[in-house]
């Protein structure tokens, strides 16, 4: 995504970007006038607004609205976005098989075989066939079968499972003109006869600089389905090949027993030591079809301190991002409170205090299954801060969400996006192709917590009397405002629009928390 400023040159570049999306040489005058008026109005209000994600979102929302109008009036007979048909074709498949290799922790190539279904279930076998490790991920759990036959299980809990097309969209959200590919840093297309090759390097997840991964995707011209994918990672000025996968057997149903993992007991529940040892297996999921592995941090953990005043982070204020592939998480924080950094790395609440308030700019690459003490060690040691885990018994609120059984209109958007803006007149939400459950949680997280939510709370999604719980996995579109900022008022729109309702319960629970000193 472009990240514009108030500079008129940026405005002109963005107008050209929008025009290129519909294959127009120049933006129409009415589009430019519309954008100028909208931007001027928004910027006049901007000082009173807090940009929840990053500055570019204000411009992106204005220009996206203008682009929609432009597309409606200016696109009849024009050629459609080219890569969208690849994503749509991939999103319609029911199953796929892939074979290839990925770079292991020791740098050697590890052979792998994958099977996936559109339900989000994935099976991966990696290593020599005679001594392979098998992972079956899906249905809220990971089952790992080791070469010696030992079976380990981790219950992941209910979570949204992205389909094939969603996984592909996160990597290739590209447009026809290579100079205006969405979110690109470097991009190219090549005609290889019956095959079309897309090469893409995206922007970093945070800041104004290139990302660390380069993707090469070969697509069958006739079916528009991927045939082969390569991934490379930039490290120390060199591109390292990470993986190569070849796709086959589209819509050939895999044997059901592949996802049951054969006869035998359900398996042992993983201990903390098991999780640390099986960090790669626990990273297997739908995204493994595209990025099965990345370079592993030396010793399992790497900490890089960032200068927030360099041009790459100019104008962005503060921000954070977490990117996870192949069992490795890359967490980037710019001018974020230490308490927020520790909470993100540990996945536990961090109590407020003087030590927790100090701003930190750092990037942490770590095996995701490492204990929190290890994941936070490098950051805390540099700052001379100690962390202690404590367990308290507290009263919490349980919000149980249900559905009234009405038909939920699916998304009509082509690419997923989200935007939350907060100001003196409340919150404004925009969502496209997002799970209904995700929207519920975003509304709760961006509201004033009072009444029942004055303290800690947990969220659950239940079936209800006339609907299944998986209705909350439906990808939907929504745009609305919450002028009062109260959580109940924010949820009322979802009640009216989608049939969401809830009940409030009180519960006692033990909570693990971290104190920084």
């Amino acid at each position: 995504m472009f990240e514009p400023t108030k500079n008129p040159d940026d405005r002109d570049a963005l107008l050209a970007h929008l025009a290129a999306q519909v294959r127009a040489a120049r933006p129409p005058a009415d589009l430019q006038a519309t954008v100028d008026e909208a931007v001027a109005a928004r910027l006049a209000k901007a000082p009173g607004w807090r940009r929840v994600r990053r500055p570019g979102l204000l411009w992106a929302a204005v220009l996206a609205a203008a682009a929609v109008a432009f597309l409606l009036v200016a696109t009849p007979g024009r050629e459609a976005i080219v890569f969208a048909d690849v994503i749509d074709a991939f999103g319609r498949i029911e199953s796929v098989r892939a074979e290839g290799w990925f770079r292991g922790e020791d740098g050697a190539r590890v052979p792998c075989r994958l099977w996936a279904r559109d339900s989000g279930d994935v099976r991966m076998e990696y290593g020599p066939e005679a001594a392979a490790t098998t992972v079956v991920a899906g249905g809220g759990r990971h089952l790992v079968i080791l070469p010696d036959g030992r079976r380990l299980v981790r219950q992941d809990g209910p979570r949204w499972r992205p389909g094939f097309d969603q996984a592909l969209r996160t990597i290739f959200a590209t447009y026809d003109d290579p100079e205006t590919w969405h979110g690109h840093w470097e991009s190219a297309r090549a005609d290889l006869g019956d095959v079309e090759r897309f090469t893409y390097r995206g922007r970093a997840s945070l800041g104004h600089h290139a990302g660390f991964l380069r993707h090469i995707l070969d697509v069958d011209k006739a079916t528009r389905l991927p045939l082969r994918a390569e991934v490379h990672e930039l490290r120390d000025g060199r591109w390292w090949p990470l993986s190569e996968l070849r796709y086959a057997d589209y819509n050939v149903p895999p044997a059901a027993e592949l996802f049951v993992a054969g006869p035998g007991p359900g398996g042992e529940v993983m201990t903390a030591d098991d999780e640390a040892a099986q960090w790669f297996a626990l990273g297997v999921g739908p995204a493994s079809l595209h990025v099965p592995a990345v370079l592993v941090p030396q010793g399992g953990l790497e900490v890089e301190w960032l200068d927030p005043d360099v041009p790459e982070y100019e104008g962005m204020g503060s921000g954070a991002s977490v990117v996870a592939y192949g069992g490795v998480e890359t967490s980037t924080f710019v001018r974020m409170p230490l308490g927020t950094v520790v909470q993100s790395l540990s996945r536990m609440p961090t109590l407020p205090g003087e030590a927790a308030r100090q701003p930190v700019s750092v990037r942490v690459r770590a095996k995701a299954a490492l204990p929190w003490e290890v994941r936070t060690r490098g950051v805390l040691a540099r700052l001379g801060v100690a962390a202690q885990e404590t367990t308290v018994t507290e009263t919490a609120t349980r919000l149980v969400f249900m559905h009234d059984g009405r038909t939920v209109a699916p998304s009509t958007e082509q690419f997923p996006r989200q935007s939350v803006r907060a100001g003196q007149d409340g919150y404004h939400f925009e969502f496209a192709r997002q799970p209904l459950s995700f929207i519920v949680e975003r509304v709760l997280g961006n509201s004033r917590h009072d009444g029942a939510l004055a303290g800690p709370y947990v969220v659950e999604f239940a079936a209800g009397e006339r609907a299944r719980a998986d209705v909350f996995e439906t990808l939907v579109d929504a745009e609305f405002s919450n002028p009062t900022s109260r959580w109940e008022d924010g949820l009322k729109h979802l009640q009216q629009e989608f049939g969401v309702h809830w009940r409030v319960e009180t519960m006692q629970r033990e909570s693990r928390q971290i104190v920084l000193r």
Side-chain angles (χ1 to χ4, degrees):
M1 178 181 292
F2 283 90
E3 298 187 16
T5 66
K6 299 180 185 180
N7 191 322
D9 292 339
D10 288 337
R11 179 210 64 184
D12 294 341
L14 280 157
L15 288 169
H17 167 67
L18 294 174
Q21 291 182 25
V22 292
R23 301 187 64 83
R26 298 175 60 84
D30 57 346
L31 174 65
Q32 183 159 334
T34 300
V35 171
D36 285 344
E37 291 178 7
V39 168
R42 290 292 182 90
L43 290 178
K45 183 186 286 188
W49 285 70
R50 173 172 62 87
R51 291 165 174 76
V52 176
R53 290 181 62 83
R54 55 185 179 184
L57 285 176
L58 177 63
W59 280 79
V62 173
L63 287 159
V68 170
F70 183 23
L71 289 169
L72 289 176
V73 301
T75 57
R78 295 191 183 276
E79 187 174 338
I81 296 171
V82 167
F83 203 84
D85 58 2
V86 178
I87 293 176
D88 289 341
F90 204 62
R92 288 195 300 270
I93 68 173
E94 297 179 355
S95 59
V96 64
R97 177 176 62 86
E99 292 188 5
W101 60 267
F102 62 84
R103 180 181 292 274
E105 186 169 7
D106 61 359
R109 295 188 175 189
V110 179
C112 65
R113 297 155 295 283
L114 296 98
W115 294 261
R117 302 187 295 198
D118 61 354
S119 60
D121 300 328
V122 176
R123 178 189 178 104
M124 176 189 277
E125 298 173 358
Y126 59 92
E129 288 195 38
T133 296
T134 299
V135 183
V136 180
R141 74 169 189 169
H142 272 73
L143 170 64
V144 181
I145 305 175
L146 303 178
D148 63 4
R150 187 181 177 208
R151 302 161 68 92
L152 302 173
V153 174
R154 187 185 74 173
Q155 297 296 331
D156 302 323
R159 62 180 63 184
W160 174 60
R161 299 184 299 275
F164 298 146
D165 61 331
Q166 288 294 111
L168 191 63
R169 288 170 200 273
T170 63
I171 298 172
F172 285 92
T174 55
Y175 296 109
D176 181 29
D177 185 347
E179 294 303 318
T180 58
W181 281 12
H182 174 79
H184 86 289
W185 191 271
E186 299 172 354
S187 54
R189 287 174 56 199
D191 189 328
L192 305 180
D194 294 336
V195 173
E196 190 170 17
R197 173 167 293 177
F198 295 86
T199 303
Y200 173 77
R201 181 185 181 189
R203 293 178 179 271
S205 59
L206 194 68
H208 315 292
H209 57 95
F212 300 106
L213 297 182
R214 182 174 66 195
H215 306 266
I216 300 174
L217 193 70
D218 290 345
V219 173
D220 186 297
K221 282 187 176 180
T223 65
R224 307 308 294 164
L225 289 171
L227 299 173
R228 175 179 167 276
E230 292 182 29
V231 183
H232 301 251
E233 183 171 348
L234 184 64
R235 179 66 68 91
D236 299 327
R238 173 183 172 185
W239 285 104
W240 295 83
L242 292 181
S243 61
E244 179 181 349
L245 294 177
R246 298 173 299 278
Y247 305 102
D249 294 346
Y250 283 107
N251 295 322
V252 176
E257 56 265 26
L258 288 175
F259 297 95
V260 180
E268 310 168 32
V269 176
M270 286 192 185
T271 65
D273 289 340
D274 290 331
E275 292 189 9
Q278 301 304 320
W279 61 272
F280 176 80
L282 294 176
V284 171
S288 301
L289 283 170
H290 309 289
V291 186
V294 293
L295 293 179
V296 181
Q298 295 183 5
L301 174 71
E302 293 176 354
V303 178
E304 176 188 0
W305 293 91
L306 306 176
D307 180 356
D309 297 320
V310 297
E312 285 84 349
Y313 303 112
E314 182 179 1
M316 66 166 289
S318 61
S321 73
V322 179
V323 178
Y325 287 122
V328 173
E329 285 186 356
T330 299
S331 305
T332 305
F333 308 93
V334 176
R335 302 186 187 93
M336 294 298 292
L338 177 60
T340 302
V341 173
V342 172
Q343 182 165 310
S344 176
L345 295 175
S346 67
R347 307 182 186 93
M348 286 188 288
T350 302
L351 298 179
E354 183 177 351
R357 286 192 294 269
Q358 58 183 305
V360 174
S361 297
V362 67
R363 178 178 294 115
V364 179
R365 297 184 71 247
K367 294 178 179 177
L370 288 176
W372 73 265
E373 297 92 340
V374 177
R375 291 163 55 82
T376 60
R377 184 170 56 200
V379 174
L380 296 176
R382 165 78 174 265
L383 299 174
V385 175
Q388 181 180 358
E389 180 182 335
T390 182
T391 301
V392 299
T393 300
E394 62 183 6
T395 300
T397 297
R398 179 191 287 118
L399 283 175
V400 182
F401 287 91
M402 297 161 288
H403 190 261
D404 65 8
R406 74 179 69 173
T407 300
V408 176
S411 172
T412 59
E413 294 289 333
Q414 196 161 34
F415 294 97
R417 68 177 184 275
Q418 58 163 310
S419 171
V420 181
R421 299 194 303 276
Q424 296 177 352
D425 51 354
Y427 286 86
H428 184 75
F429 301 91
E430 294 182 39
F431 300 99
R433 289 193 67 84
Q434 299 293 344
L436 182 54
S437 60
F438 175 81
I439 296 176
V440 169
E441 292 177 338
R442 287 289 282 166
V443 170
L444 284 174
N446 292 276
S447 301
R448 190 173 75 244
H449 290 175
D450 53 13
L453 294 195
Y457 67 91
V458 297
V459 173
E460 295 180 5
F461 295 96
E465 297 180 359
R466 296 182 296 276
R468 300 183 306 172
D470 60 6
V471 70
F472 289 100
E473 297 182 8
T474 306
L475 301 181
V476 299
D477 306 324
E479 180 177 357
F480 58 95
S481 295
N482 181 11
T484 69
S485 298
R486 296 187 66 251
W487 65 274
E488 290 173 300
D489 293 334
L491 292 177
K492 283 179 181 177
H493 176 86
L494 303 183
Q495 185 178 43
Q496 297 167 0
E497 182 72 16
F498 299 108
V500 173
H501 59 105
W502 62 93
R503 68 174 183 265
V504 178
E505 303 174 349
T506 300
M507 58 181 290
Q508 294 291 117
R509 68 172 187 177
E510 288 192 344
S511 173
R512 298 168 61 201
Q513 301 176 350
I514 293 179
V515 180
L516 300 179
R517 293 185 175 89

